[in-house]
Amino acid sequence: MSALFDECQLRCLAALLDTLIPPDDFPGAWDAGVGDYLQRQLQGDLADLGSSYHDFLRCLDAAARHLHKRDFADLALDARSELLHKVENHQITASWMLEPGKFFPKIVEHCGEGYYSDPGNGGNREGIAWQMIGFEVRG
């Protein structure tokens, strides 16, 4: 994923995805391969959204630093969730390079796709999400 995102953006992306689908008895989004899924999609069907992802991650980190004096990835889960709730409800007052409340639903959608998709698409590592919901693959 380093070809698409720098180290800071990767940390932010991992925290963002794990805020949307946090680990519990099963892996969170990042460990389930959603980051790999996104990389694959951003180099293919979603290539036109690459710069929007970069902008969103930069702005999300900036908002976290403004509100909490820390990078988004360094916030506790509840603080990350609260910040994303503000993004979702258009309650961010800082200026962003894109309208966060409109782009955020795309990220949520892509996260769900990556978590529950066919593992051949890069996410749902080892079919873990399917195991979680009791989906049986018949050979």
Side-chain angles (χ1 to χ4, degrees):
M1 198 159 324
S2 59
L4 293 175
F5 300 103
D6 64 30
E7 185 177 327
C8 184
Q9 291 169 329
L10 277 176
R11 288 185 68 240
C12 186
L13 180 62
L16 169 59
L17 296 175
D18 275 352
T19 304
L20 297 174
I21 303 177
D24 52 20
D25 292 341
F26 291 90
W30 189 256
D31 287 339
V34 176
D36 296 332
Y37 170 82
L38 278 175
Q39 176 185 14
R40 191 177 218 175
Q41 295 303 311
L42 289 170
Q43 291 175 338
D45 292 343
L46 301 178
D48 60 323
L49 296 179
S51 64
S52 295
Y53 264 90
H54 285 215
D55 292 345
F56 186 91
L57 295 171
R58 272 193 292 275
C59 291
L60 186 59
D61 253 346
R65 286 190 296 273
H66 175 75
L67 294 171
H68 300 283
K69 311 294 186 246
R70 306 173 88 181
D71 290 342
F72 184 77
D74 295 328
L75 299 176
L77 178 60
D78 61 337
R80 294 191 320 248
S81 294
E82 180 183 323
L83 179 52
L84 291 179
H85 181 72
K86 288 179 180 184
V87 167
E88 180 180 35
N89 290 299
H90 308 273
Q91 296 172 335
I92 297 293
T93 57
S95 101
W96 285 48
M97 296 176 234
L98 73 163
E99 193 168 337
K102 287 188 176 180
F103 188 68
F104 181 62
K106 291 180 194 294
I107 296 172
V108 173
E109 180 181 337
H110 299 155
C111 183
E113 287 172 1
Y115 197 79
Y116 293 103
S117 69
D118 185 308
N121 294 323
N124 192 10
R125 189 171 289 133
E126 298 175 14
I128 195 68
W130 291 352
Q131 293 170 38
M132 179 181 69
I133 63 172
F135 179 72
E136 294 183 34
V137 178
R138 297 175 193 225

